[in-house]
Amino acid sequence: MRFGILGPVEIHTDDGTPLDPGGPRPRALLTLLLLDAGRPVPVERLLDGLYGVEPPAGAVSALQSQISRLRRRLAPHAGVDAVPAGYVLAVAPDAVDAHRFARLAAEGRTALTAGDHPRAAALLRDALALWRGPALPNLPDAHADRTRLAEQRLTVVQDRIEAELGTGGGPELVPELRALLRGHPLDERLYGQLMRALHAAGRPAEALAVFEDARRTLADELGADPSPELSALHLDLLRDGTEPPARPRLPAQLTRFVGREAELARIDRALSDSRLVTLTGPGGVGKTRLALEAARARTGSVAVHARSWPRPGAVPDVCLVELAPVADGSRIPYAVLAALGVRDGFRSPATDALDRLLEALADREVLLVLDNCEHLVEDAARTVALLLGACPDVRVLATSRESLGVTGEVLVPVPPLPVEPAVRLLLDRARAVRPDFDGHARVPEICRALDGLPLAIELAAARLRTLSVDELADRLHDRFRLLARGDRAKAPRHRTLRAVVEWSWELLDAKERDLASRLTVFAGGATLDAVAAVCGVPYPEDPLASLVEKSFLEVSDGRYRMLETIRAFAAEALTGPREPRELRAAHAAYFLRLAEQAEPLLRGGDQLPWLERLAAEQENLDAALRCLTETAPQDALRLTAALTWFRRLRGLHGDRVPGARALLAAAGAEPPPGLAEEYALCVMNAVSGRGDDPEDAGLTARAGALMASLDGPLRLPFTVILWSLTGGPRLNVDTRVRVQLDREPWGLALLDLGLAYQDLLAGRAAAAETGFTRAWKGFRETGDRWGMANCLDPLGGFAYGRGEYARALALLDEGLVHVRELDAPEETADLLRSRAVVLLAQGASREAAAHFTRSGELARTAGATDKVAGALRGLGDVARLAGDAARARVHYENALEACAATWFSVGETARILIGLGRASLAEGDPDTAGDWLAQARAQALDPPDPLLLADVAYALAAAAPRPERAAELLGAAASLRGAPLHGDPDVARTTEHTRACLSVEAYATAYERGHGLRSAAVSER
């Protein structure tokens, strides 16, 4: 069905059959509904249109009756539906001539702007053909709507004339234009079109006379002069366009250009190979300055033959076109003409200016720098596409917060500055306002906080004129207020940090703004799934893609990230107390679910992707934990428990203490029902392990009581590991632990691991090696790399003890593969230290020292001070075995300082003391050596530690004054360990020396005597 309201009301069915619209009242009602076809029309608007501002009594009932009659008249071709907002005529807008006219007019103007004059003329003629007389004749009170439609019709007439002028028309348009001017004597566009039509008809004198008529009419009626555009057209007709344009120049810069070497090189390559290069990036990132520097480089060097553009030996013109002040995309050609120095002779939206522009650039090698295209991106794209298609020697370097989307466009994203060039930029700009400024330790922190945005850094540097670096750094949480004084010479939207971000914000539509503000709840970025779950935005793919294209977000590896500066601005859009609170709750709930989903998968074959996923969400998980600690402590206990093993694997447990203690305070003195394991883990996480923390003892006791109360299988079997690390080596794998772990394969493998360590510590070496092998097989079946590595380390130790160095290295290397895949720093440090011991025994001292050094670095990052001390002790062993006892002593003393006063440092302390004793022996000072070894023996005996006593016994054997005593101690050490330590170079040297001093029988007798005495042999003076 087709409807007409651009003239008398008409209705036709799809086959062309006319229908009677009815009398005046039904026609008026139908017209009102057709003006908003497909959209609800409020009852009040219908009553006003039918009866005026004071409808009679019973008007609503009368309207309902008229609606019913109209339904019957239109059935079955169309319907009138009642909706809460009023009534809807259920037809497509294109079925109504007024709406079809608006569509054709818009399409015609688009074609006109793109320079497609024939198509534009055809579309605009079709639009005007829909008019059959004055619009809306059945609505006597619709003056505003009639005026609007009449103005639209006049604009379309002028656009059609513009299109026909563009296709070579002129003489035939003169009568029509004169008639139009009689009805609209103050319309300057019509005067300009008449001047151009007369000029095209070869009547230049009449064209100039039209200008005089326009000037006289405007002066008489308005007291005004002709517009600059009409005056420019008059001047251009006088000169006939004979004056050549001035050669464009780039503006000189007042500051040094810092950094961006890689981007400059990439732009240069791109301009050599491509005709359209667009620099994209967020506001304030420095796109304009970078484009100017790249363009200036093009003007400063003659083209080489390897480049296809410009021609060899030529230097192209470079023209900066500033589009920021241009509000209407149709004015882009005028802006380019003005920048080129070409007078735009015509007052038209774009078409004639485009013709002039194409003529001006037809044979010139020009690099156009179109700056700030983002607010006119569609019009800029059409103009650029036309220019590049018509002018083969033109290249365009554009800057925009989103791409132009033109075929052949090469994008060069402009990222924020890395820290090093950002620091150089801040120092350079700071010295401009404070010549004595020599830097500060917090300058890199400031640059990172400002996201490496050059504009923000320059504004911050200006602030250093009156603020100290510390004052500036401490106030960056309020960055928009702080960085609100910029260059007065710049446009207002480039003057302050807020203005730059606000400009980007205004270019977003309502949906994009809403999503951007909601995204501020995320810390460190978000995945698509997280956005959909937390932000409450169905199908967020499109708005996310749009935010990325507009440089409001960055996307990498499936994660969407927002610069902190943009995040701070967008967060302000979350108004009222409720929305931020609800978003935080949804955010915390999502990441609690994620952590609990991941927890069991961290103990099997899928642990690598889940470790990476949790690592990527570290900031979000921390934020969720802080939120739940404040609002839902029980959920915070669940999240802490779910993350504990992840943090342990990744060496992140060192920063857990303050948060765990705050959570305990929020959760209360007793575990909530059903959360005893989670509460116990929180207590263990609250133990600092520093040795000098007065709260640790009480927390350890609480953890012990809680673990004793868990008499069933654990949901979180790694709790046993945390408890063993917290409670110390006095813990045994008792019946309760067997029950706690007797639930699933990982727990059973862990039980085997614990039993193997129990055998090892008791000196049952053969049983321990069997147990570690069994545990390794169990972990291998689950696919858990942590478990396999923690079995391979002691298994490598057994091979080393037997002198099977190749076997030991193979086992340790296999373990290193696992822990490096896990990116577990503490376990990597352990295996590197073990590998260094083997290398040292083989005589590869340089490689061993490198391993010990790297082990110490990793242990330090993980906060494992005892393992830092172990690495330093290893460096001491390297120096001592190389004959440098003095240097060895320095390493041992540094190791002692690194040891904290905790249970797990006792063994390391004793071994460092042994190293100091051996160093004194090497220096020929047996008395000092005896003192050091006596201290080590005291550590090993309180409480008795068989493995540690074995190490003391080997060292005492090296210091023994009689060979019989040395043999006795060697036997005791082997008995305490459960196996001799043939692979250790110190032990091997002592054994060789002792055997050389005794007969075979004497050595065997003394050795067996020590073997039977065990720790008693070590205790003897």
Side-chain angles (χ1 to χ4, degrees), residues 805-862:
Y805 300 142
R807 169 70 175 160
L809 290 175
L811 292 168
L812 295 172
D813 287 345
E814 184 180 344
L816 278 168
V817 170
H818 295 321
V819 295
R820 282 170 173 159
E821 286 180 330
L822 293 172
D823 194 16
E826 195 167 339
E827 282 74 13
T828 305
D830 288 339
L831 283 156
L832 282 173
R833 190 176 65 250
S834 298
R835 196 175 194 280
V837 170
V838 180
L839 291 171
L840 186 58
Q842 287 184 312
S845 57
R846 181 173 297 180
E847 191 177 353
H851 275 43
F852 282 128
T853 300
R854 181 58 182 151
S855 173
E857 292 169 352
L858 289 169
R860 192 171 288 107
T861 63

Side-chain angles (χ1 to χ4, degrees), residues 443-803:
V443 165
E445 173 192 338
I446 291 171
C447 294
R448 282 190 291 267
L450 294 175
D451 302 305
L453 292 175
L455 173 66
I457 291 168
E458 291 183 340
L459 293 171
R463 273 293 191 181
L464 289 173
R465 183 178 183 184
T466 54
L467 295 178
S468 70
V469 175
D470 286 329
E471 288 170 334
L472 176 65
D474 292 341
R475 286 166 172 76
L476 285 180
H477 63 278
D478 194 9
R479 65 189 65 201
F480 294 117
R481 181 196 62 79
L482 185 69
L483 306 180
R485 302 180 67 180
D487 187 344
R488 294 189 182 97
K490 289 186 177 180
R493 70 178 185 84
H494 285 148
R495 199 172 292 170
T496 69
L497 187 61
R498 175 178 289 280
V500 168
V501 182
E502 194 168 41
W503 169 259
S504 298
W505 183 259
E506 293 300 326
L507 296 177
L508 305 180
D509 62 30
K511 289 183 178 179
E512 291 165 348
R513 290 181 196 169
D514 179 61
L515 179 57
S517 63
R518 289 171 177 269
L519 288 171
T520 61
V521 74
F522 293 100
T527 63
L528 179 61
D529 288 343
V531 173
V534 174
C535 294
V537 177
Y539 311 111
E541 297 90 339
D542 288 342
L544 282 173
S546 182
L547 288 171
V548 171
E549 290 167 0
K550 295 179 179 180
S551 301
F552 227 78
L553 288 179
E554 299 172 343
V555 62
S556 176
D557 297 328
R559 292 188 65 77
Y560 296 88
R561 291 179 175 84
M562 188 177 282
L563 294 179
E564 192 58 35
T565 297
I566 294 176
R567 185 170 176 245
F569 183 92
E572 296 176 359
L574 286 173
T575 57
R578 187 175 177 187
E579 190 174 14
R581 185 169 61 246
E582 291 176 349
L583 268 176
R584 287 183 69 204
H587 175 271
Y590 174 84
F591 285 102
L592 172 59
R593 291 194 301 272
L594 178 68
E596 291 190 327
Q597 179 186 3
E599 183 278 318
L601 300 173
L602 297 179
R603 295 180 275 112
D606 293 327
Q607 61 191 173
L608 292 184
W610 280 97
L611 278 169
E612 290 304 315
R613 186 167 180 183
L614 291 183
E617 302 293 1
Q618 183 63 51
E619 293 180 67
N620 282 312
L621 292 165
D622 291 343
L625 186 54
R626 289 192 296 270
C627 174
L628 292 175
T629 299
E630 297 171 6
T631 61
Q634 293 190 17
D635 287 339
L637 287 171
R638 291 167 53 199
L639 182 55
T640 293
L643 291 177
T644 294
W645 190 236
F646 161 69
R647 288 174 167 172
R648 170 60 57 176
L649 287 176
R650 283 297 170 91
L652 301 172
H653 51 285
D655 59 355
R656 75 203 184 285
V657 174
R661 291 184 179 180
L663 177 53
L664 286 176
E670 296 296 328
L675 295 175
E677 283 182 47
E678 291 79 358
Y679 191 88
L681 279 167
C682 186
V683 172
M684 295 176 212
N685 279 307
V687 177
S688 71
R690 290 197 310 265
D692 57 352
D693 191 328
E695 294 189 43
D696 277 2
L699 290 166
T700 301
R702 281 175 74 182
L706 289 164
M707 289 300 295
S709 70
L710 300 175
D711 53 4
L714 298 176
R715 295 189 308 279
L716 305 166
F718 59 80
T719 304
V720 171
I721 300 174
L722 266 291
W723 176 227
S724 68
L725 295 170
T726 304
R730 63 182 179 275
L731 302 176
N732 290 322
V733 180
D734 55 18
T735 302
R736 182 180 294 106
V737 174
R738 293 175 186 271
V739 171
Q740 290 171 341
L741 296 179
D742 188 13
R743 178 168 179 166
E744 42 105 53
W746 192 89
L748 293 173
L750 180 62
L751 180 61
D752 282 333
L753 181 64
L755 291 169
Y757 268 111
Q758 200 161 289
D759 286 332
L760 179 66
L761 294 172
R764 298 188 289 268
E769 189 168 11
T770 300
F772 284 124
T773 301
R774 184 168 56 249
W776 172 75
K777 291 179 180 178
F779 284 123
R780 185 180 60 180
E781 289 177 3
T782 69
D784 184 86
R785 294 160 179 81
W786 174 89
M788 288 189 282
N790 273 273
C791 295
L792 290 165
D793 193 355
L795 288 172
F798 286 119
Y800 160 77
R802 292 191 291 268

